[in-house]
Amino acid sequence: MTSAALSEPLDLARALIRCPSVTPHDAGALDVLEKALESIGFECHRLIFSDANTPEVANLYARRGSGAPNFCFAGHTDVVPAGSRDSWTVDPFGGDVIGGKLFGRGAADMKGAIACFVAAAARYLAAHDRDMPGSVSLLITGDEEGPATNGTAKVLRWMAERGERIDACLVGEPTGAKRLGDTVKIGRRGSLTAHLAVYGVQGHAAYPHLADNPIPKLIRMLESVAAAPFDSGTSHFQPSTLAITTVDVGNTATNVIPAKATASLNIRFNDLHSGESLTKRLREIFDKVVADMGGQYDLTVEVSGEAFLSPPGRLSEIVAEAIESRLGPRPDFNTAGGTSDARFIHRYCPVAEFGLLGATMHKVDECVTVADLEALTAIYVDILERFFRDTESARGQ
């Protein structure tokens, strides 16, 4: 693919979609991306990480330039499974363009945005090859849709160990709610999943006094934890929410009181809480029920990410100005949605998230419009222009 071809995002997006890179498998996606970046002068580092409990994951860090500041585009080439192919009207890994839309798993989340990263870099570098006042880089992982243990977090540590600094980062997750450019994310809620097991004594349903039924205790625990709201939200976060996701006793007999009842719940929380504080709150509520009703319980908690905020500043303002200049309305800054790898990046530099429309991500017939790919590329170019122009202005003062 020539440098001129790379300045248009569609062909690269199609090539990436045609790699069935379902987490944790790369399926050649990083080969496609690395070849494209090297053709426009990026120095690429393929980084493979693994540990005893999770599979090996391939990542890519690429940089053009050696000076500061370093503006980084971050994202992931891994995708969620396509599901039943019979449910799709197209090949989920075919990269078909039909009626002005690009179809395929990852079109929105987020191979389309990665193609826009590269196209924007190609355009910017073509115009500023000799006078770029800093560096442009890409941090691409293959582990965002998975456990996220061998991806962005480890790449950032590798970078820090070699003195590689990022001064600002734009994550290309799909952020559009109703249209391209209506939302920029400046943080994310935390996510906690709790697994609760309540124990009793099995017995005959006709003789409940000879058994100890764990189900009423489990119901009381769930009612108690769901009864009071966690908070009313903050200036940048909506109120924290709780969803009961499973309830199970594993009982196939109608005349048997079970010995165990289980449930799982998920809490999406704002920056008034932490995984530790919410775990303490759950235990206090459950301990009170056990003190009242008797019995025993076990609680295990998994925190996939803490809430974080990258406060509105120059980066988010540059992104908003670029969107406004191209599309008209000013975007909303919010922190809604699930987790993203920005939760790791915000510890190193200012970070904002802005990408394509998210209406079809993870769905059958995932797609984006070709027009949005072009518009996003143009906005990314504008962001680079504004970011480095600010750098030059600051140096001249």
Side-chain angles (χ1 to χ4, degrees):
M1 205 174 291
T2 65
S3 297
L6 284 175
S7 67
E8 304 300 326
L10 179 59
D11 285 348
L12 181 56
R14 297 181 75 185
L16 290 170
I17 288 170
R18 288 168 181 159
C19 300
S21 51
V22 177
T23 313
H25 305 294
D26 173 61
L30 292 184
D31 288 335
V32 170
L33 187 57
E34 185 172 339
K35 183 177 179 181
L37 289 167
E38 287 181 341
S39 74
I40 53 174
F42 278 79
E43 180 182 355
C44 295
H45 301 271
R46 189 72 66 91
L47 305 167
I48 311 296
F49 297 116
S50 64
D51 58 40
N53 301 313
T54 55
E56 183 176 273
V57 172
N59 307 275
L60 178 67
Y61 176 70
R63 180 169 177 168
R64 170 72 184 269
S66 57
N70 179 6
F71 186 95
C72 182
F73 291 109
H76 61 92
T77 50
D78 62 316
V79 297
V80 298
S84 171
R85 294 203 176 201
D86 292 339
S87 300
W88 287 69
T89 59
V90 296
D91 180 353
F93 298 108
D96 296 320
V97 177
I98 304 171
K101 294 181 179 180
L102 170 63
F103 287 83
R105 177 59 79 227
D109 188 15
M110 57 165 288
K111 292 179 176 180
I114 289 175
C116 294
F117 290 168
V118 178
R123 293 184 194 182
Y124 181 81
L125 293 167
H128 300 278
D129 190 31
R130 300 186 178 215
D131 64 350
M132 186 172 67
S135 304
V136 177
S137 61
L138 279 79
L139 192 170
I140 307 297
T141 182
D143 193 29
E144 196 274 345
E145 299 289 7
T149 56
N150 293 315
T152 297
K154 287 188 177 179
V155 176
L156 288 165
R157 288 199 291 270
W158 171 86
M159 292 170 63
E161 288 168 0
R162 54 184 273 133
E164 188 86 14
R165 172 174 170 162
I166 299 174
D167 296 284
C169 185
L170 184 64
V171 179
E173 288 288 348
T175 55
K178 296 182 179 179
R179 56 173 176 78
L180 178 69
D182 61 6
T183 304
V184 173
K185 294 191 185 297
I186 57 170
R188 293 277 187 157
R189 295 180 298 172
S191 177
L192 178 152
T193 297
H195 304 285
L196 174 64
V198 183
Y199 301 97
V201 176
Q202 182 175 317
H204 197 297
Y207 304 95
H209 60 289
L210 299 178
D212 181 12
N213 195 336
I215 298 176
K217 300 169 188 177
L218 177 67
I219 292 172
R220 176 79 67 83
M221 287 177 173
L222 296 177
E223 287 178 338
S224 298
V225 79
F230 288 90
D231 53 71
S232 301
T234 67
S235 57
H236 292 292
F237 285 89
Q238 64 193 77
S240 301
T241 61
L242 179 146
I244 298 169
T245 55
T246 66
V247 176
D248 187 30
V249 295
N251 188 8
T252 58
T254 59
N255 62 344
V256 174
I257 292 170
K260 179 181 177 182
T262 65
S264 295
L265 54 90
N266 181 260
I267 302 173
R268 297 299 170 117
F269 57 94
N270 59 38
D271 56 350
L272 293 174
H273 311 278
S274 67
E276 183 179 0
S277 70
L278 287 171
T279 300
K280 180 180 178 182
R281 174 173 174 160
L282 292 176
R283 290 193 182 281
E284 288 173 348
I285 291 171
F286 299 155
D287 286 347
K288 187 174 180 181
V289 172
V290 167
D292 182 43
M293 300 181 70
Q296 295 181 321
Y297 75 91
D298 284 332
L299 178 67
T300 59
V301 173
E302 303 159 2
V303 180
S304 61
E306 298 285 355
F308 76 91
L309 178 70
S310 189
R314 189 57 194 143
L315 174 61
S316 54
E317 190 59 30
I318 285 172
V319 176
E321 289 170 356
I323 294 170
E324 198 170 6
S325 69
R326 293 280 178 176
L327 301 179
R330 183 175 175 82
D332 174 49
F333 290 167
N334 74 40
T335 56
T339 59
S340 80
D341 278 358
R343 69 187 187 273
F344 306 120
I345 299 167
H346 84 99
R347 301 168 188 162
Y348 293 81
C349 68
V351 61
E353 298 180 59
F354 168 55
L356 292 158
L357 193 64
T360 64
M361 61 179 174
H362 294 202
K363 293 184 178 181
V364 166
D365 287 346
E366 181 177 352
C367 63
V368 295
T369 68
V370 175
D372 278 357
L373 288 173
E374 171 55 35
L376 184 62
T377 299
I379 294 169
Y380 284 166
V381 174
D382 199 1
I383 290 169
L384 289 173
E385 293 279 2
R386 291 169 185 271
F387 178 79
F388 287 115
R389 191 183 308 140
D390 277 8
T391 297
E392 286 291 88
S393 296
R395 285 174 178 172
Q397 290 176 357

